Amino acid sequence: MPTISLTFEPAEEVLIIHGVDAQLARNPLLAAFLRQHGATVDDQCRAMVPTGQDALSARYQAVSRLLDRLGIEVEAQGRVADALQSVEAEEARFEEFSARAFDIWHRQLDTEEFREFVAVVDRECPGRTFYRKQLLSAYHLAFAQNVCNFSVPGAGKTSIVYAAYAYLRALPDDDPRSIDRLLIVGPLSSFKAWEDEFKEIFGRKPNSRRISGATPLVDRSDHLRGISVGSRQVELTLTSYQTMANLEDDFRVFLSRGDPRIMMVLDEAHYIKSADGRQANSALRLAPLPRGRVILTGTPAPNGYEDLANLFRFLYPARNIVGFPAATLRAMSDGTMQSAVDQLRKRIQPFFTRIKKADLNLPLVSEERIEISMEPIQARIYRALERKIVPQIRAEFERPDGNVRVKARLIRLRQASVNPELLLKPLTDEGVFDTGGTGDLTVGEMDVADLIAGFSAETDLARLRVCGDIVRSVLEDQGKVLIWSYFLGNLDRLRRTFAPLAPFVEVLTGATPVAGMEGEVEAAEGTREAIIDGFHRAPGKAILIANPQAVGESISLHKACRTAIYFDRDFNAGRYIQSKDRIHRYNPEGGLPVRYIYLMSEGTVDDDIDTRLVIKEQRLTDLVDSDDIPLLTAASDEDGIDDIRAIFESYERRKTS
């Protein structure tokens, strides 16, 4: 058997295959391999295969297997042998490290080191008592330092990061694990939650700095480049994904300075799941620089296993933890490669923790559905529109290009059920569609245009009166209440109607400015943070009216409120569950029962929405609590086919009754 030698040049990052003459180079298997890896063959019969040291072992094994198939023996010489030994030793260390990380979470180790960790956390975090799974998750983070936390909303992911940080900060400065700063990248709405949680846990206000597009250029540069003395004392730096991408060079300097020992946390990390997104690419380019990296998201793979790729690239830039190309991950999401799914789970298991809702001992929940009889004028409006719209939806439903028109007509049907005043305005006022050509029904096209024009919510909307009675009752009993409405057109109506009932009545929508955002008003008054803060601190009665589409992420209201009234709902189960989680979260001090009240117009699309949400919520809840990496698409009805069918079926029942 002929022999070919392999050498490695680390400076050029190239694996050299010696003795590749013209005849061997034409071999189809070898030629395909060389093309695949961008290799070249020089005039000295050497094949130059680009290879970094981190990939050397895998590339060497691939070359060895190929040459063995060709009947050629491989001999490793010089630096390649030394490099292989070094790589193999590093791989052995990483395997041992991975096994230890796996054991911490999955076997819930109770070692002397863990007890020391708990003692440090108890000492450094006087404002919080952590439950066991939070402590194990924090210990896992402190040990591995490059990990994901996939816990469900309300499980305390922010607190877990701070517990790990408290321990790592308490280590000697010369300890390679020591951390003394945090860089938090997340949505603007998350900044206040991070600062408030810091103050509550550590008993002191954080020395923090927010970096956004609204931050003056000089202040940004002084902080990120360490120019001002004050910036060097900042312990908590907060920025958004967009700002990180816009100021990538400045953040590169910040992470490379050497004096701060920084852990970089990506909050709501599904923002970087896109394979070619600008924000994702920026995060991946910065990933090698911090001393520690943390991923936080309750939905690691909302669309498929391919969403996991960037998360683990960020954690371990020099390693292929996921181990599968994008095409294979997509096939696994489609359910065609179950054996590969099992391999994927095994690969990533050491590097994430997940606390499920069943682990949280959440407060009890009660749900009340209040069926409201519409006033005669609203009933006539609704029935007339239903007779017109449902057949149109059925016709458009059969057309491949009818999806937008179906959505527009369905929204109009919902508006007739919720508040016919909404029918007077174009759907663009709800932020639903951009311009004409959508198949939207205008008032002029409706057979009941005169009835709609004569409708007054103040006198003709029974739902508004019922809601007012419930609000008064909750305010007397509990002091604070949260009202959700999916229609922007309802929010101001609710605010004006209920303003006399409490000294604090505020509205939150997507248009509410967030502190730190571009174009922010100078005064904090009127910002999302100020409104949420005011709701929490209001000494007496308080009403918060919010839009679920805009107030889903990074907002906790469970310490202020335990009753939510849904003035209306839509078919989107994910958004609905997310809104419920705003007041149903883990509370270390315990919690009183949480109450949800759903207002529904009797015999309308509201009944169909309620039926479908019950089914969808159960599917999603079962999936999320039974699977560490839940594919939400497995329990969703993204195209709404079953929702539309439910409308058809209930309409036919009403026609024949």
Side-chain angles (χ1 to χ4, degrees):
M1 176 182 287
T3 300
I4 277 185
S5 63
L6 301 181
T7 60
F8 176 62
E9 292 297 333
E12 290 79 17
E13 293 194 330
V14 63
L15 176 67
I16 304 174
I17 310 174
H18 297 267
V20 181
D21 56 25
Q23 180 179 355
L24 181 58
R26 287 193 295 271
N27 181 279
L29 289 176
L30 182 59
F33 178 88
L34 296 178
R35 282 196 305 273
Q36 179 184 356
H37 293 90
T40 58
V41 180
D42 64 14
D43 55 7
Q44 299 180 46
C45 298
R46 299 183 304 175
M48 321 292 283
V49 184
T51 306
Q53 185 150 329
D54 59 307
L56 177 61
S57 180
R59 194 78 75 244
Y60 174 82
Q61 292 172 18
V63 171
S64 298
R65 287 194 298 269
L66 174 62
L67 294 178
D68 184 64
R69 290 179 63 185
L70 300 178
I72 300 173
E73 187 175 344
V74 174
E75 180 180 88
Q77 294 185 347
R79 289 179 177 176
V80 72
D82 296 339
L84 280 171
Q85 287 182 355
S86 174
V87 168
E88 288 169 358
E90 173 59 26
E91 288 300 313
R93 285 193 294 271
F94 190 75
E95 285 184 16
E96 181 181 352
F97 160 82
S98 302
R100 175 77 186 283
F102 176 90
D103 284 346
I104 287 174
W105 180 249
H106 293 276
R107 297 182 181 175
Q108 301 191 32
L109 296 185
D110 190 1
T111 62
E112 181 61 33
E113 185 177 294
F114 174 62
R115 288 190 287 275
E116 291 175 3
F117 171 85
V118 172
V120 172
V121 171
D122 284 345
R123 183 185 73 234
E124 298 292 325
C125 304
R128 176 61 48 83
T129 300
F130 296 90
Y131 58 89
R132 179 172 174 78
K133 282 217 165 185
Q134 283 182 323
L135 287 168
L136 278 169
S137 182
Y139 179 50
H140 178 269
L141 195 166
F143 170 78
Q145 291 198 281
N146 302 298
V147 297
C148 298
N149 188 324
F150 293 156
S151 299
V152 298
K157 292 188 285 292
T158 302
S159 303
I160 289 168
V161 171
Y162 280 143
Y165 170 65
Y167 175 80
L168 296 170
R169 188 187 58 188
L171 295 173
D173 291 351
D174 58 355
D175 190 305
R177 299 176 298 162
S178 173
I179 298 292
D180 66 353
R181 314 280 175 89
L182 289 172
L183 169 61
I184 311 296
V185 184
L188 290 167
S189 58
S190 71
F191 292 0
K192 186 176 188 303
W194 279 96
E195 290 169 336
D196 288 350
E197 193 77 0
F198 187 104
K199 183 178 180 180
E200 185 170 327
I201 288 176
F202 294 111
R204 59 184 175 86
K205 186 177 180 180
N207 189 339
S208 64
R209 181 71 57 87
R210 298 183 182 190
I211 304 296
S212 75
T215 309
L217 178 62
V218 173
D219 292 345
R220 290 198 315 245
S221 182
D222 281 359
H223 175 62
L224 295 177
R225 296 178 178 271
I227 296 172
S228 66
V229 174
S231 72
R232 299 169 204 167
Q233 308 306 316
V234 172
E235 196 171 357
L236 185 62
T237 299
L238 302 122
T239 194
S240 68
Y241 286 93
Q242 181 177 343
T243 302
M244 173 194 66
N246 291 342
L247 305 177
E248 183 180 330
D249 289 342
D250 286 330
F251 279 102
R252 182 177 302 280
V253 172
F254 177 66
L255 292 167
S256 304
R257 275 165 33 198
D259 50 329
R261 302 180 298 280
I262 299 172
M263 176 174 280
M264 184 173 178
V265 180
L266 302 189
D267 193 9
E268 304 289 358
H270 47 270
Y271 279 81
I272 72 160
K273 68 178 185 296
S274 174
D276 55 358
R278 178 169 172 265
Q279 297 171 359
N281 290 331
S282 178
L284 294 177
R285 286 190 292 266
L286 293 173
L289 304 176
R291 184 171 284 195
R293 293 170 287 272
V294 181
I295 290 285
L296 303 180
T297 175
T299 54
N303 303 308
Y305 292 115
E306 57 271 27
D307 290 345
L308 296 170
N310 277 357
L311 305 185
F312 287 93
R313 286 193 193 106
F314 174 79
L315 290 186
Y316 290 97
R319 293 184 176 275
N320 185 7
I321 298 294
V322 169
F324 294 99
T328 303
L329 292 170
R330 285 192 291 271
M332 292 155 63
S333 301
D334 295 339
T336 57
M337 298 184 68
Q338 187 57 45
S339 61
V341 172
D342 295 338
Q343 294 178 46
L344 171 65
R345 291 173 182 274
K346 187 175 181 180
R347 285 174 179 270
I348 66 176
Q349 269 185 332
F351 311 110
F352 76 87
T353 61
R354 179 173 175 82
I355 298 173
K356 302 173 184 178
K357 280 202 171 183
D359 302 321
L360 295 179
N361 193 26
L362 292 171
L364 296 175
V365 168
S366 68
E367 296 184 304
E368 301 171 35
R369 290 164 172 79
I370 300 180
E371 291 269 8
I372 302 167
S373 296
M374 295 182 287
E375 292 290 340
I377 184 173
Q378 183 181 1
R380 289 199 297 273
I381 292 170
Y382 183 84
R383 297 304 168 207
L385 285 182
E386 184 181 47
R387 288 192 297 270
K388 182 182 183 72
I389 286 176
V390 173
Q392 289 178 336
I393 291 176
R394 190 190 298 275
E396 297 291 351
F397 186 60
E398 305 297 332
R399 296 176 52 175
D401 61 342
N403 188 45
V404 171
R405 286 181 290 274
V406 166
K407 288 182 178 179
R409 284 162 167 75
L410 180 55
I411 290 169
R412 287 307 194 193
L413 190 63
R414 288 174 49 218
Q415 288 178 329
S417 172
V418 172
N419 177 9
E421 279 187 339
L422 302 171
L423 296 167
L424 295 169
K425 297 181 180 181
L427 290 181
T428 50
D429 286 7
E430 290 295 337
V432 180
F433 300 113
D434 294 330
T435 56
T438 64
D440 180 18
L441 287 170
T442 64
V443 170
E445 297 174 280
M446 299 179 188
D447 298 335
V448 288
D450 291 340
L451 282 175
I452 296 170
F455 180 89
S456 169
E458 291 181 4
T459 57
D460 302 323
L461 189 59
R463 184 186 298 239
L464 189 61
R465 292 198 300 275
V466 171
C467 185
D469 292 340
I470 297 170
V471 168
R472 291 182 185 89
S473 174
V474 174
L475 291 177
E476 288 299 324
D477 181 44
Q478 301 173 13
K480 297 180 182 179
V481 65
L482 171 64
I483 306 174
W484 293 109
S485 176
Y486 286 70
F487 286 115
L488 296 175
N490 279 336
L491 301 179
D492 188 57
R493 162 64 67 187
L494 292 167
R495 182 187 62 77
R496 286 185 284 114
T497 300
F498 299 145
L501 303 183
F504 181 98
V505 181
E506 292 287 351
V507 171
L508 280 179
T509 72
T512 307
V514 179
M517 71 186 297
E518 289 79 355
E520 175 200 349
V521 293
E522 289 186 12
E525 184 178 354
T527 63
R528 181 179 302 200
E529 292 180 319
I531 291 171
I532 293 172
D533 220 26
F535 185 61
H536 277 88
R537 296 183 180 182
K541 298 175 181 178
I543 303 171
L544 183 63
I545 305 163
N547 176 241
Q549 295 95 310
V551 193
E553 288 182 339
S554 306
I555 291 176
S556 298
L557 302 171
H558 62 295
K559 294 181 181 178
C561 174
R562 54 190 177 91
T563 294
I565 302 171
Y566 284 79
F567 193 76
D568 54 83
R569 293 178 290 168
D570 68 6
F571 283 106
N572 189 309
R575 194 158 55 202
Y576 165 64
I577 294 171
Q578 197 173 47
S579 70
K580 293 177 74 174
D581 286 339
R582 297 310 97 201
I583 64 170
H584 193 225
R585 307 172 76 81
Y586 171 72
N587 188 337
E589 300 171 1
L592 294 170
V594 167
R595 182 184 180 198
Y596 301 115
I597 302 172
Y598 311 122
L599 304 185
M600 300 155 55
S601 293
E602 189 176 14
T604 69
V605 68
D606 285 351
D607 293 328
D608 305 323
I609 290 172
D610 182 65
T611 299
R612 293 291 300 144
L613 285 178
V614 169
I615 294 170
K616 291 180 180 181
E617 182 178 20
Q618 190 60 56
R619 287 178 184 168
L620 284 168
T621 301
D622 290 346
L623 180 62
V624 166
D625 248 27
S626 64
D627 196 337
D628 281 337
I629 309 292
L631 294 187
L632 301 187
T633 52
S636 68
D637 176 29
E638 289 186 359
D639 50 15
I641 291 175
D642 291 339
D643 298 336
I644 301 298
R645 285 175 177 156
I647 292 173
F648 295 158
E649 291 170 3
S650 61
Y651 175 64
E652 293 300 327
R653 285 195 301 270
R654 281 194 291 273
K655 280 175 57 180
T656 57
S657 62

